[in-house]
Amino acid sequence: MAAFPKDFLWGAATAAYQVEGAHNEDGKGLSIWDVFSHLPGTTYQNTNGDVAVDHYHCMQEDVALMAEMGLQSYRFSISWPRLLPNGRGEVNEAGVKFYSDLIDTLLAHNIVPMITLYHWDLPQALQDEGGWEVRSTAEAFEEYARLCYSRYGDRVKLWATFNETIVFIGHGYITGSHPPSVRDPGRAIQACHQVFIAHALAVKAFREMKIAGEIGFVNVLQPHTALTNSAEDKVATELADAIHTHWLYDPVLKGHYPEALLAQTQAIWGVPRFEAGDDELLRNNLCDFIGLNYYRRETVVANPGETSTASNHNGEPNSGAEFGFKDLFKFVRNPDGVYTDWDWEIWPQGLTDGIMMIKERYGDIPMYITENGLGAKDPIVDGEIVDQPRIDYLSMHIEAMENAIAKGADVRGYYPWSFIDLLSWLNGYKKQYGFVYVDHNQNLARKRKKSYFWYQSVIASHGEQR
Ligand code: BG6
């Protein structure tokens, strides 16, 4: 007997900008990604989501593929500027209808919708007013959330406010590789604060509107391991946990920042700046669940004296530096590790460890594994997509998740990234994650991969056959 609870949901995930296309159709406003990806040299081979995999027009076909697979839940995000072209104010009813139809189609196939309100595609109109650095964007987010609750709250029970703050703030305000391409740790910390406030405002609205469902927040789950047993590397690893985990989970699960780190950022940068009532707002609007996106762990060493806003070997903000501290830590390649083609370590044990770490720090919070997957160049053999490495990767991670459940963790669902091959923000269409292949040379025709049939039997056997 598998250890998965009876109501455990076998899902899959995507995000609006990465699948929908139709970037300027039916009244949609522009997002920061629509604008940024059109600036030469900002993305891999100048790829963009103008068409993506045309899910906007292929929605019925895509949901039929989900249903045939036996999918029990689908995590997708809503494009804010498709609903509110200017970020607030006038509502684009054609955009509202697209998601309403998607939800109805999912429910007709007994697929539970999970909505992510923000997966990085901020309306450009709000960016022009200061984006995440200003309180008015958090207030506009509340207006957008209320609109979504009022239109979809009768049918959708699972809601997440934000996806991976560390990534869109880290890349947007530290490495500069995502819009708005700023490189300033102080501004990053302040923008991150407005995101937490936006989240709290949206949770408050959810409670006030008495939506019959659960609302949470999605974070990167990134366990850290010291490279050596030295005291320096251990201290460095604790700091990595404080910055990459506690800073991002504490405000939404405990209602406040980790105190020691807060004192340091405020001493060095004078941020985050609180407005009257912020403390109370955070404290009174905690999550019902936490979404965990797990891909890899990071190996940590003490960093002797370097400080920069450079990125690490994964192209991400290089540890410690983003908070303006020097002599802290950095991420390195684990000499014994197994790595993907994109240099992400494959370490399934990290999923068990990470889940247990969350349980230990935050108690019995319900969890969903909202992303987990292998980015690869899938081989095509005699016309079939034989993505065995993906099957191996997912199989090992399902076992790791099962081990955490056996140890008492309240994990309620699993959403591999991604249901279908889609646009990778900075890696174009070369880096594939999907169960469904999309042929870019043949009118974006869909084709089931080997992993599609494999996951079908995982779902049918409630995790036993894998
Ligand atoms: C997560 C994001 O960070 O990782 C997804 O939520 C993203 O949107 C996924 O696509 C994989 O990242 P990448 O860079 O390999 O596409």
Side-chain angles (χ1 to χ4, degrees), residues 360-378:
E360 192 175 318
R361 188 172 175 90
Y362 303 106
D364 283 326
I365 182 81
M367 304 178 218
Y368 292 86
I369 308 306
T370 34
E371 287 181 32
N372 174 233
L374 177 71
K377 293 172 200 149
D378 294 337

Side-chain angles (χ1 to χ4, degrees), residues 14-15 18 75 119-120 163-164 167 171 178 218 220 293 295-296 314 316 342 344 370-371 373-375 417-418 422-428 431-433:
T14 65
Q18 297 179 273
R75 173 179 179 239
H119 202 125
W120 310 351
N163 181 72
E164 296 188 348
V167 179
H171 282 319
H178 281 200
V218 173
V220 174
N293 290 355
Y295 290 89
R296 61 178 183 264
N314 286 320
E316 286 162 347
W342 273 267
W344 292 18
T370 34
E371 287 181 32
L374 177 71
W417 184 267
S418 49
L422 41 68
L423 175 70
S424 170
W425 304 90
L426 299 178
N427 298 290
K431 192 176 186 184
Q432 297 161 268
Y433 280 94

Side-chain angles (χ1 to χ4, degrees), residues 3-296:
F4 296 102
K6 195 168 132 291
D7 297 333
F8 187 88
L9 292 172
W10 297 97
T14 65
Y17 182 72
Q18 297 179 273
V19 292
E20 285 178 7
H23 77 296
N24 60 359
E25 283 183 48
D26 295 342
K28 178 180 169 294
L30 293 182
S31 78
I32 53 175
W33 273 92
D34 293 317
V35 175
F36 175 78
S37 63
H38 280 260
L39 302 174
T42 53
T43 61
Y44 174 75
Q45 293 184 344
N46 295 318
T47 41
N48 61 52
D50 289 5
V51 177
V53 295
D54 204 24
H55 175 66
Y56 188 76
H57 296 113
C58 302
M59 184 271 281
Q60 295 287 346
E61 180 187 354
D62 290 342
V63 177
L65 281 164
M66 292 175 204
E68 181 192 324
M69 191 190 216
L71 210 66
Q72 296 170 346
S73 185
Y74 175 51
R75 173 179 179 239
F76 61 94
S77 77
I78 293 180
S79 159
W80 181 351
R82 198 180 287 291
L83 263 51
L84 293 164
N86 298 310
R88 63 167 80 82
E90 197 186 332
V91 175
N92 176 34
E93 291 298 337
V96 173
K97 184 176 181 318
F98 170 71
Y99 297 105
S100 190
D101 290 349
L102 169 61
I103 292 162
D104 285 344
T105 311
L106 291 168
L107 291 174
H109 290 287
N110 291 320
I111 301 171
V112 174
M114 178 192 272
I115 286 179
T116 306
L117 289 171
Y118 188 81
H119 202 125
W120 310 351
D121 43 357
L122 183 72
Q124 180 65 38
L126 294 181
Q127 185 59 52
D128 295 343
E129 295 175 12
W132 287 115
E133 292 177 78
V134 295
R135 182 58 55 103
S136 53
T137 297
E139 289 160 358
F141 183 76
E142 181 189 344
E143 179 181 330
Y144 158 60
R146 283 180 183 269
L147 172 68
C148 294
Y149 304 153
S150 71
R151 301 304 183 94
Y152 312 131
D154 54 338
R155 290 161 287 165
V156 178
K157 309 288 174 224
L158 291 174
W159 298 78
T161 52
F162 286 88
N163 181 72
E164 296 188 348
T165 307
I166 185 89
V167 179
F168 73 88
I169 295 294
H171 282 319
Y173 291 88
I174 294 165
T175 69
S177 59
H178 281 200
S181 304
V182 172
R183 291 168 69 98
D184 183 329
R187 287 173 66 182
I189 294 169
Q190 187 58 24
C192 192
H193 182 66
Q194 303 296 14
V195 170
F196 292 136
I197 294 299
H199 164 79
L201 289 171
V203 172
K204 185 164 172 277
F206 192 80
R207 313 274 185 237
E208 284 170 3
M209 290 173 68
K210 299 192 179 358
I211 304 301
E214 298 162 25
I215 188 155
F217 193 90
V218 173
N219 262 327
V220 174
L221 178 64
Q222 183 176 284
H224 301 106
T225 308
L227 181 68
T228 73
N229 282 328
S230 72
E232 291 81 7
D233 283 358
K234 281 187 186 157
V235 170
T237 304
E238 281 165 21
L239 276 165
D241 280 341
I243 292 177
H244 283 265
T245 302
H246 306 164
W247 189 267
L248 297 152
Y249 285 76
D250 284 14
V252 298
L253 293 177
K254 292 182 168 209
H256 57 80
Y257 287 98
E259 276 148 28
L261 202 53
L262 179 64
Q264 280 175 285
T265 61
Q266 288 186 324
I268 296 173
W269 295 101
V271 286
R273 288 181 298 277
F274 280 64
E275 292 186 15
D278 281 5
D279 274 324
E280 205 189 347
L281 191 63
L282 292 176
R283 204 169 46 243
N284 293 336
N285 293 289
L286 303 183
C287 290
D288 297 321
F289 71 86
I290 189 80
L292 307 173
N293 290 355
Y294 179 72
Y295 290 89
R296 61 178 183 264

Side-chain angles (χ1 to χ4, degrees), residues 298-344:
E298 289 288 1
T299 300
V300 182
V301 294
N303 186 23
E306 296 169 27
T307 182
S308 73
T309 53
S311 54
N312 69 3
H313 63 275
N314 286 320
E316 286 162 347
N318 194 6
S319 52
E322 62 264 50
F323 282 74
F325 302 150
K326 54 184 174 180
D327 302 336
L328 289 187
F329 61 89
K330 65 179 175 185
F331 297 149
V332 293
R333 213 166 202 281
N334 169 12
D336 302 322
V338 177
Y339 282 80
T340 71
D341 289 346
W342 273 267
D343 233 9
W344 292 18

